[in-house]
């Protein structure tokens, strides 16, 4: 354990350096207080330049998760019907024997693709997170699960335009003078970036928020531009129309560092502000003002949120937005350019965990969004899925077509294993539940998708009960299945040693030893006051330029970046895509379902995590849906009544909120609430479609039409 010297210690009290495990851009450095072997509190590390000592409402009582009386502490076998939540304690040996026996029987009957893993980012640690288990399932020959929950479409579009670049250092935003926060509720979802933006604002920056909702972040902005969901592409294309048409482009930068300018100029001529106004609901004059201010204020910065991709044209939207900084030469300046996912700065050694070479070439790939259909047979699969292993994920809450997920999980002939901290709605359907450790009980090392710091997580306390880290879970499963590859015998400290490419120049001066001392370290990149990654071009694209005309899309068509599809390090080619940016309108329109439903993140839950914790439930309340006063009045709905939100896919009952914060025609129902606590055992994903966006197999949660009626 690492004691912090500067903190007053009593003999039985120590502090341990840890890291918030969550799938959140902030990746906060935590300090855990341990008294007599018990974690009694967590707080942010005040010395961390990004975290600055504060943890959010989702995590600042993390010790309550460790000692939650409802925690799963032992392996359990189901004794009641699926979904009932009735289980009996068994030993690890019995659990592993049952799993191995079931796998062998199912595989003998159907072949190995009958087994399917379902996992995502319950923890983001490199050891226990995204790729833990991949090697095991590759070795087994199981169905490969494509995981495009989050930012996959945006990453395809971004990579196709500017390459997999870290982009602007989030800390450089203090130098920005014009900041567009586009589809991101920063104060809830990227809390520690807000003080940087606020500092820039204090120094004179104009902060613009483009969002259908006047939320906590929009209220702090200088200009909130409400937009119809799914039409941001029209706005970005019209901005280019104005910038090029009015001669506001940075001609030198465009000439030296971009590809396909002439074709782009020709393409965007049709996308006038008047046309975009019809699509977006934003006055044409506002579109002109935005384009002019953006093009003429240096440094200008666009921060795109993940929600920007969640509609039919999400990929092309990000394509268009990613063209803007090069068009106006924003990359020339410290604090100028695009902030998407700084995770590309982190040299994580993914292949050492994924082991793509263990996969059988040609193994079937099923996208996780289709899990409801895959399990109910609506997606014809040969062989069918007869064994499911869920860890780091809660598909009952996070997947669309919730009713199909529930019906699929209830199948009697399906053998389901779930590893989690508590009995989630998903775990309640399991045949075997396995106890997982929390972050305070496991080793890990964290990359970040929101800053340039590596953070080490040292366990603060011994595991409660018989809980094990995911690494150990897969070591045990591999041993039971008789897999003798060396990888399956690596200890956590050996895994830590291979988590990063320590020889990368950005890791210079950073070692596991130094991290044990400090807890975290900034990547060896120029400081936030000088970092201009593309002042002289140097984009990691085939041409080295910002590609208005994308050679990657031209060559591969639609593709999923490797991180989301653990099969290989190669781009997986898909269907034809026009290599020039263009407009793809929202898919769902509807007379019978006139309201456009969006489901952003809950303030107090991290996706569905913490969704059953007492304190967070008190802060967040139950599943709500918020309507504009005009839409509420037209339906005889008043604030505080229960309403049904429905379409052809399903329905859920929510507490109605009425507020002019929401644009007319839009309904907002945050995601994360648990069906088991909901009025009719359904939450917002009951009505969401599985349909993919145009690039990267991204979800279309913002492309959902519903009607809302009082119940
Ligand atoms: N509190 C909290 N923080 C979180 C999470 C959480 O669950 N809770 N989850 C983490 C994860 S996994 C992620 S991916 C990030 C996501 O964080 P964000 O990128 O902020 O994404 P969301 O909260 O889903 O949506 C952000 C905003 O986009 C708006 N929006 C929805 N559709 C559209 C659209 O078509 N156009 C425009 N312009 N705006 C639109 C919504 O109104 C919302 O205000 O947050 C992370 N942080
Ligand atoms: N309608 C709608 N749906 C969405 C979204 C949306 O905005 N709207 N957002 C999408 C996005 S961006 C994302 S990222 C996904 C998130 O989808 P998920 O990553 O599935 O998110 P969680 O619901 O938090 O589920 C994580 C589960 O892992 C468990 N867990 C945590 N740590 C560990 C561990 O160490 N070991 C094990 N075995 N389990 C652990 C947690 O307790 C929790 O039950 O949801 C997607 N779904
Ligand atoms: S959820 Fe995000 S903001 Fe909250 S403590 Fe974790 S990393 Fe920090
Ligand atoms: Mo996400």
């Amino acid at each position: 354990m690492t004691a912090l010297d500067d903190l007053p210690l009593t003999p039985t009290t120590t502090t341990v350096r840890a890291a918030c495990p969550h799938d959140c851009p902030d990746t906060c450095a935590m300090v855990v207080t341990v008294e007599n072997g018990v974690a009694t509190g967590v707080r942010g590390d005040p010395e961390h330049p990004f975290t600055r000592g504060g943890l959010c409402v989702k995590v600042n009582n993390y010790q309550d998760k460790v000692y939650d009386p409802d925690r799963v502490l032992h392996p359990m076998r189901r004794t009641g019907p699926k979904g009932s939540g009735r289980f009996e304690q068994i030993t690890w040996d019995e659990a592993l024997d049952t799993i191995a026996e079931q796998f062998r029987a199912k595989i003998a009957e159907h072949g190995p693709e009958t087994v399917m893993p379902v996992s995502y980012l319950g923890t983001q640690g490199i050891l226990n997170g995204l790729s833990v288990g991949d090697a095991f399932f590759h070795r087994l020959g199981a169905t490969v699960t494509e995981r495009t929950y989050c930012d996959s479409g945006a990453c395809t579009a971004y990579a196709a335009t500017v390459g997999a670049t870290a982009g602007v250092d989030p800390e450089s935003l203090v130098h920005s003078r014009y900041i567009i926060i586009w589809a991101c509720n920063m104060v809830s979802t990227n809390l520690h970036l807000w003080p940087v933006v606020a500092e820039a604002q204090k120094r004179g920056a104009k902060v613009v928020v483009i969002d259908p909702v006047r939320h906590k972040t929009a209220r702090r902005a200088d200009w909130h531009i409400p937009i119809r969901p799914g039409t941001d592409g029209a706005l970005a294309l019209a901005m280019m129309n104005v910038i090029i048409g009015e001669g506001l482009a940075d001609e030198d930068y465009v000439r030296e560092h971009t590809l396909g300018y002439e074709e782009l100029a020709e393409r965007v001529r049709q996308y006038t502000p008047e046309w975009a106004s019809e699509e977006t609901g934003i006055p044409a004059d506002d579109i002109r003002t935005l384009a002019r201010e953006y093009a003429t204020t240096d440094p200008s910065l666009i921060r795109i949120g993940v929600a920007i991709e969640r509609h039919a044209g999400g990929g092309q939207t990000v394509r268009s937005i990613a063209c803007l900084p090069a068009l106006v030469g924003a990359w020339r300046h410290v604090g100028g350019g695009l902030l998407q996912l700084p995770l590309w700065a982190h040299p994580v050694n993914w292949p050492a965990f994924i082991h793509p070479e263990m996969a059988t070439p040609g193994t079937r790939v099923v996208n996780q969004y289709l899990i409801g259909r895959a399990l109910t047979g609506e997606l014809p699969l040969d062989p069918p899925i007869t064994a499911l292993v869920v860890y780091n994920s809660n598909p009952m809450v996070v997947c669309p077509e919730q009713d199909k997920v529930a019906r699929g999980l209830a199948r009697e002939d399906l053998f389901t294993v779930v590893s989690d901290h508590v009995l989630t709605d998903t775990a309640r359907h399991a045949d075997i539940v396995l106890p997982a450790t929390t972050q305070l009980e496991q080793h890990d090392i964290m990359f970040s998708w929101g800053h340039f710091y590596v953070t080490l997580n040292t366990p603060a306390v011994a595991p409660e009960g018989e809980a094990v880290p995911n690494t150990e879970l897969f070591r045990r499963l591999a041993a039971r299945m008789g897999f003798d590859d060396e990888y399956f015998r690596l200890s956590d400290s050996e895994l830590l040693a291979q988590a990063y490419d320590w020889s990368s120049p950005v890791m210079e001066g950073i070692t596991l030893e130094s991290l044990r001392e400090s807890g975290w370290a900034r990547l060896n990149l120029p400081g936030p006051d000088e970092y201009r990654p593309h002042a002289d071009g140097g984009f990691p694209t085939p041409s080295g330029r910002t590609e208005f005309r994308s050679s990657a899309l031209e060559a591969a068509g639609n593709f999923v970046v490797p991180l989301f599809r653990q099969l290989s390090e190669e781009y997986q080619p898909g269907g034809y895509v026009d290599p020039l940016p263009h407009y793809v309108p929202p898919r769902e329109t509807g007379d019978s379902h006139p309201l456009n439903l969006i489901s952003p993140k809950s303030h107090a839950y991290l996706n569905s995590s913490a969704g059953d914790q007492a304190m967070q439930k008190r802060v967040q309340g139950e599943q709500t849906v918020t309507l504009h006063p005009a839409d509420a009045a037209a339906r005889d709905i008043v604030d505080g009544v229960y309403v049904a939100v429905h379409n052809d896919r399903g329905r859920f009952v929510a507490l109605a909120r009425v507020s002019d914060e929401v644009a007319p025609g839009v309904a907002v129902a945050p995601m994360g609430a648990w069906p088991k606590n909901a009025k009719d055992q359904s939450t917002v994903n009951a009505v969401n479609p599985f349909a993919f966006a145009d690039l990267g197999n991204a979800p279309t949660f913002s492309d959902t039409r519903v009607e809302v009626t009082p119940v």
Side-chain angles (χ1 to χ4, degrees):
M1 290 192 204
T2 325
L4 293 184
D5 304 334
D6 57 337
L7 295 168
L9 303 179
T10 63
T12 52
T13 304
T14 50
T15 54
V16 179
R17 291 187 183 277
C20 175
H22 281 308
D23 178 10
C24 165
D26 295 26
T27 311
C28 289
M30 300 203 296
V31 180
V32 186
T33 307
V34 181
E35 295 175 54
N36 301 316
V38 175
T40 53
V42 294
R43 58 196 169 83
D45 181 346
E47 283 163 37
H48 192 278
F50 196 76
T51 310
R52 304 182 189 198
L55 302 177
C56 71
V57 63
K58 307 176 283 285
V59 172
N60 62 18
N61 64 334
Y62 195 85
Q63 71 280 5
D64 294 347
K65 182 188 273 294
V66 181
Y67 304 113
D68 185 341
D70 291 335
R71 219 180 129 185
V72 175
L73 294 177
H74 305 278
M76 299 197 295
R77 178 178 22 229
R78 183 168 58 84
T79 54
K82 292 199 174 192
S84 66
R86 290 211 297 276
F87 293 90
E88 65 181 6
Q89 184 177 334
I90 54 174
T91 64
W92 264 104
D93 268 335
E94 287 174 283
L96 292 167
D97 284 342
T98 308
I99 295 168
E101 225 167 78
Q102 287 283 339
F103 279 5
R104 290 203 176 96
K106 306 277 189 200
I107 289 170
E109 190 178 346
H110 301 285
E113 285 174 333
T114 197
V115 182
M116 181 169 167
V118 169
S119 75
Y120 200 56
L121 278 169
T123 167
Q124 198 173 272
I126 300 172
L127 266 56
N128 292 294
L130 195 60
S131 290
V132 69
D134 287 357
F136 173 81
F137 290 106
H138 284 335
R139 183 73 168 71
L140 193 67
T143 290
V144 170
T145 305
E146 187 174 77
R147 302 173 289 221
T148 54
Y149 276 132
C150 185
D151 230 38
S152 167
C155 286
T156 300
Y158 182 86
T161 313
V162 295
T165 166
V168 177
D169 181 347
E171 290 176 81
S172 294
L173 264 61
V174 282
H175 299 291
S176 311
R177 300 282 298 179
Y178 201 81
I179 299 177
I180 300 179
I181 302 174
W182 209 324
C184 177
N185 184 7
M186 196 177 283
V187 173
S188 279
T189 60
N190 188 185
L191 178 65
H192 297 86
L193 185 57
W194 179 257
V196 187
V197 173
E199 175 62 25
Q201 198 177 28
K202 215 167 77 192
R203 297 185 192 179
K206 181 164 181 176
V207 177
V208 182
V209 166
I210 303 171
D211 201 296
V213 183
R214 197 173 70 248
H215 44 51
K216 288 184 167 68
T217 313
R219 287 202 291 274
R220 292 165 161 85
D222 299 288
W223 187 13
H224 170 225
I225 304 178
I227 188 169
R228 260 186 65 211
T231 65
D232 305 82
L235 175 59
L237 288 160
M239 286 173 73
M240 292 201 269
N241 171 292
V242 174
I243 291 166
I244 295 174
E246 298 188 0
L248 301 175
D250 182 332
E251 285 176 21
D252 291 342
Y253 194 90
V254 165
R255 191 176 49 250
E256 283 162 39
H257 305 305
T258 72
L259 190 74
Y261 174 71
E262 297 303 328
E263 289 165 284
L264 179 76
E266 175 59 32
R267 170 61 60 88
V268 300
R269 216 192 311 251
Q270 62 189 296
Y271 298 124
T272 63
E274 280 66 27
W275 165 82
S277 176
E278 288 289 310
E279 286 295 315
T280 59
I282 304 169
D285 281 344
D286 285 357
I287 298 176
R288 287 201 172 82
T289 303
L290 177 69
R292 288 172 190 152
E293 288 182 353
Y294 171 72
T296 57
T297 317
D298 288 331
S300 61
L301 183 285
I302 300 174
R303 155 70 168 142
I304 49 171
V306 175
I308 197 82
E309 70 170 11
R310 297 189 189 126
H311 52 90
Q316 288 303 326
T317 298
V318 176
R319 275 278 288 140
S320 299
I321 292 174
C323 291
L324 283 164
L327 195 61
V328 301
W331 293 108
R332 289 180 187 279
H333 313 283
V334 175
L338 187 60
L339 171 55
Q340 191 235 5
L341 284 187
L343 101 83
W344 306 117
H346 291 256
V348 178
N349 190 9
W350 291 113
F353 294 85
I354 298 172
H355 282 282
E357 80 289 349
M358 286 192 197
T360 310
T363 302
R364 167 173 83 186
V365 178
V366 175
N367 191 289
Q368 200 139 245
Y369 281 116
L370 298 168
I371 188 73
R373 291 181 175 232
L375 293 179
T376 53
E378 269 173 74
L379 176 73
L381 289 176
D382 182 20
I385 306 295
T386 63
L388 200 66
V389 185
V390 184
Y391 53 102
N392 278 343
S393 190
N394 187 1
M396 272 292 292
V397 180
V398 303
C399 274
E401 302 193 309
Q402 192 172 71
D403 172 54
K404 293 195 172 96
V405 179
R407 276 192 285 128
L409 287 173
R411 247 176 57 200
E412 271 311 321
D413 64 326
L414 178 73
F415 174 70
T416 304
V417 180
V418 177
S419 159
D420 209 310
H421 301 142
V422 280
L423 279 184
T424 62
D425 289 278
T426 306
R428 294 167 81 87
H429 288 82
D431 296 282
I432 300 282
V433 177
L434 299 172
T437 43
T438 65
Q439 186 78 333
L440 301 198
E441 305 160 302
Q442 64 196 16
H443 287 279
D444 222 320
I445 183 165
M446 320 293 296
F447 65 89
S448 166
W449 50 282
H451 56 62
F452 287 176
Y453 296 83
V454 187
T455 319
L456 187 72
N457 182 74
T458 301
V461 292
E464 289 288 293
E466 294 179 277
V468 300
N470 293 335
T471 48
E472 175 64 13
L473 165 63
F474 285 102
R475 278 191 292 263
R476 291 184 183 186
L477 283 175
R480 245 347 121 112
M481 295 305 294
F483 300 163
D484 54 7
D485 312 61
E486 193 203 335
Y487 172 74
F488 298 120
R489 291 193 301 268
L490 295 180
S491 67
D492 283 358
S493 54
E494 287 166 318
L495 291 170
L496 277 178
Q498 64 169 41
Y500 266 88
D501 174 5
W502 304 98
S503 66
S504 159
V506 302
M507 298 302 285
E508 204 184 308
I510 307 173
T511 62
L512 275 176
E513 276 320 300
S514 72
L515 288 171
R516 284 201 178 96
E517 279 302 303
S518 58
W520 46 267
R522 184 180 160 91
L523 295 174
N524 182 33
L525 286 163
D529 297 334
E530 49 189 300
Y531 188 56
R532 298 185 302 153
H534 304 301
D536 301 307
F539 294 93
T541 55
S543 64
R545 295 160 173 255
T546 284
E547 298 199 350
F548 298 143
R549 179 188 182 88
S550 166
S551 51
L553 290 177
E554 205 162 14
N558 187 6
F559 61 85
V560 172
V561 301
L563 196 59
F564 303 97
R565 193 187 238 214
Q566 66 276 32
L567 201 50
S568 81
E569 284 297 288
E570 301 296 319
Y571 286 170
Q572 305 290 318
Y576 169 81
V577 182
D578 181 344
L580 280 178
H582 55 277
Y583 184 55
V584 179
R587 189 176 286 130
E588 297 206 351
T589 52
D591 297 330
S592 54
H593 301 121
L595 296 170
N596 191 329
L597 181 81
I598 58 178
S599 48
K601 305 302 184 184
S602 295
H603 180 70
Y605 304 149
L606 198 296
N607 299 321
S608 80
S609 298
D612 205 31
Q613 272 180 255
M615 188 273 268
Q616 281 77 5
K617 266 202 303 202
R618 262 198 314 278
V619 175
Q620 185 65 40
E622 57 195 300
Q623 175 77 66
T624 56
V625 63
T626 307
L627 301 179
H628 185 271
D631 292 320
R635 292 166 176 77
D636 285 329
I637 291 167
V638 293
D639 195 280
V641 301
Y642 284 100
V643 293
V645 182
H646 52 97
N647 58 22
D648 296 339
R649 285 178 292 265
R651 98 198 256 280
F652 65 97
V653 173
L655 187 66
R657 292 279 167 230
V658 179
S659 165
D660 65 2
E661 287 181 4
V662 172
V666 175
V668 183
M671 67 89 70
W674 288 24
K676 106 184 201 319
N677 301 329
K679 265 271 175 279
D680 68 346
Q681 272 69 60
S682 322
T683 50
V684 64
N685 271 328
V687 297
N688 278 320
F690 80 89
F692 293 139
D694 54 341
L695 290 180
N697 296 350
T700 53
F701 296 122
S702 294
D703 204 334
T704 299
R705 289 293 184 136
V706 295
E707 181 51 290
V708 180
T709 41
V711 290

